[in-house]
Amino acid sequence: MDFLYTQFPSFADSLLFHLVLILIGLVALYYGAEWLVKGASEIAVRVGISPLVVGLTVVAFGTSAPELLVCLEANLGGRPDVALGNIIGSNICNIALILGVSAAMKPIVINRQIIRREMPILIVVTLAFIVMLYNGDIGRFEGGLLFAGVVIYVVVSIIQSRKEHKPNDFGEFSAEDVERVKKAGALTIFMDIGFILLGLAVLKFGSEWLVVGGDFTARRIGVDDSIIALFLFAFGTSLPELATSIVAVKRGEGDIITGNAVGSCIFNILAVIGITALVKPVAKGDILMVDQMVMLGATVAIFLFMWSRMRLSRMEGVCLLLAYVAYSVVRYNMT
């Protein structure tokens, strides 16, 4: 990066260069998360951790890793509204766009656990997040509370899944995949460690490029940082969840779709904002109350959709997509 600014200053200061930087950053975040999840999941299965537990912990946190890296990069760089906008936008994207696309492609049957446990937790966590933002920032103490919440959530999920785990219940892993991982040789372990390290490195650089390119582009075209974060960054960091959901739709695995989207929303607030605020308090910046209310409204709406008939229909999926488009248009015109 410094080499380009030194040797090709005019090009490095152009809008085209930073648009390319955004694109490369998005691609890096997608593949970085994929490699991180692949390596960590296979190691976890190899050492005897239930695949269901892996899905609730490693995969959920892995798909939230892009949000974490972008938030840390933005907040430490003096762009707290980008950090908050990324999380609020990602949660709206997970619920309205990802679940909307998935349900529009094929109706989704909802597992009772999602309605009885995960959705109430997400609603409470979302309300707590909005209350914490009321005074204008999220401090280290509040960040500590959020992080403690994700630790409790993960521990309870592991304990509960062990009690309810069935011998043939492999979560989002097929029985063939589990056997393949367990029978793999020692060399595969080093390959999995390599995937984890490579994924973390790519996520680090991808988040940096995305924030730098997005910040420059926002300033050049006169768009607020919050808009860039709420939509561009949010969509980019939600690519792992979107890819996972599309594959799950084709396989007819509704639990993965809803669990992935809802679980990622919980991790985004508890883990990502919690860790970010622990490192440095997060100021509210240009994030509006309407953004927070849309996030809360989308969460409550999807809970009502799920609760009514234990499924998401194609029509409800289309409604979610239209609502996301309407919010995008209205929010952009408010700047």
Side-chain angles (χ1 to χ4, degrees), residues 37-120:
V37 169
K38 172 181 170 57
S41 299
E42 293 196 357
I43 288 178
V45 171
R46 185 187 298 277
V47 298
I49 299 176
S50 163
L52 183 59
V53 176
V54 175
L56 288 169
T57 56
V58 175
V59 175
F61 187 78
T63 54
S64 292
E67 284 91 342
L68 175 59
L69 269 294
V70 168
C71 284
L72 287 172
E73 185 76 32
N75 197 42
L76 291 174
R79 294 283 181 270
D81 47 350
V82 170
L84 288 177
N86 182 35
I87 293 305
I88 293 173
S90 291
N91 279 19
I92 295 172
C93 191
N94 284 339
I95 294 171
L97 182 61
I98 292 176
L99 287 180
V101 167
S102 301
M105 291 174 63
K106 184 178 181 180
I108 305 172
V109 177
I110 308 300
N111 189 302
R112 287 186 179 274
Q113 178 179 312
I114 297 293
I115 297 175
R116 290 178 176 177
R117 196 186 74 165
E118 264 65 34
M119 283 306 305

Side-chain angles (χ1 to χ4, degrees), residues 13-320:
D13 195 42
S14 67
L15 180 61
L16 175 61
F17 169 73
H18 286 86
L19 289 174
V20 171
L21 205 60
I22 290 174
L23 180 60
I24 295 174
L26 291 173
V27 172
L29 288 175
Y30 175 81
Y31 282 104
E34 287 291 301
W35 293 333
L36 174 62
V37 169
K38 172 181 170 57
S41 299
E42 293 196 357
I43 288 178
V45 171
R46 185 187 298 277
V47 298
I49 299 176
S50 163
L52 183 59
V53 176
V54 175
L56 288 169
T57 56
V58 175
V59 175
F61 187 78
T63 54
S64 292
E67 284 91 342
L68 175 59
L69 269 294
V70 168
C71 284
L72 287 172
E73 185 76 32
N75 197 42
L76 291 174
R79 294 283 181 270
D81 47 350
V82 170
L84 288 177
N86 182 35
I87 293 305
I88 293 173
S90 291
N91 279 19
I92 295 172
C93 191
N94 284 339
I95 294 171
L97 182 61
I98 292 176
L99 287 180
V101 167
S102 301
M105 291 174 63
K106 184 178 181 180
I108 305 172
V109 177
I110 308 300
N111 189 302
R112 287 186 179 274
Q113 178 179 312
I114 297 293
I115 297 175
R116 290 178 176 177
R117 196 186 74 165
E118 264 65 34
M119 283 306 305
I121 289 175
L122 178 57
I123 291 173
V124 171
V125 165
T126 302
L127 282 170
F129 175 53
I130 292 173
V131 170
M132 288 179 178
L133 274 177
Y134 185 75
N135 66 350
D137 68 355
I138 294 181
R140 285 192 171 92
F141 175 74
E142 294 163 321
L145 291 177
L146 292 174
F147 185 69
V150 78
V151 172
I152 294 171
Y153 173 73
V154 169
V155 171
V156 172
S157 295
I158 292 174
I159 293 173
Q160 182 175 345
S161 66
R162 284 180 175 174
K163 290 180 179 179
E164 299 176 354
H165 179 62
K166 300 176 183 178
N168 62 344
D169 184 5
F170 296 102
E172 61 183 85
F173 298 83
S174 68
E176 293 77 13
D177 287 338
V178 173
E179 287 302 314
R180 175 185 57 80
V181 171
K182 288 183 177 180
K183 291 180 179 179
L187 178 61
T188 310
I189 297 178
F190 292 103
M191 291 179 63
D192 289 334
I193 294 174
F195 272 118
I196 292 174
L197 296 176
L198 180 61
L200 289 172
V202 172
L203 282 171
K204 194 275 178 189
F205 288 110
S207 63
E208 179 182 343
W209 296 334
L210 183 63
V211 170
V212 171
D215 180 59
F216 181 93
T217 303
R219 293 175 180 276
R220 178 62 65 90
I221 65 178
V223 176
D224 290 344
D225 285 346
S226 60
I227 296 296
I228 295 291
L230 283 165
F231 298 102
L232 176 62
F233 289 4
F235 177 76
T237 55
S238 294
L239 282 175
E241 289 93 336
L242 180 60
T244 300
S245 297
I246 291 175
V247 171
V249 167
K250 294 179 180 179
R251 294 179 178 176
E253 297 170 327
D255 288 354
I256 296 177
I257 300 169
T258 53
N260 183 40
V262 175
S264 292
C265 288
I266 294 172
F267 267 78
N268 281 345
I269 294 176
L270 293 181
V272 177
I273 291 297
I275 293 172
T276 302
L278 277 172
V279 174
K280 180 183 177 182
V282 185
K284 188 175 180 179
D286 294 330
I287 300 300
L288 304 179
M289 179 58 71
V290 66
D291 302 316
Q292 301 167 54
M293 290 299 102
V294 168
M295 177 179 62
L296 177 61
T299 304
V300 173
I302 200 68
F303 174 68
L304 295 176
F305 284 163
M306 292 177 176
W307 179 74
S308 62
R309 290 179 295 175
M310 300 297 292
R311 67 197 293 268
L312 287 177
S313 66
R314 280 196 173 94
M315 182 58 66
E316 289 168 337
V318 171
C319 288
L320 289 170

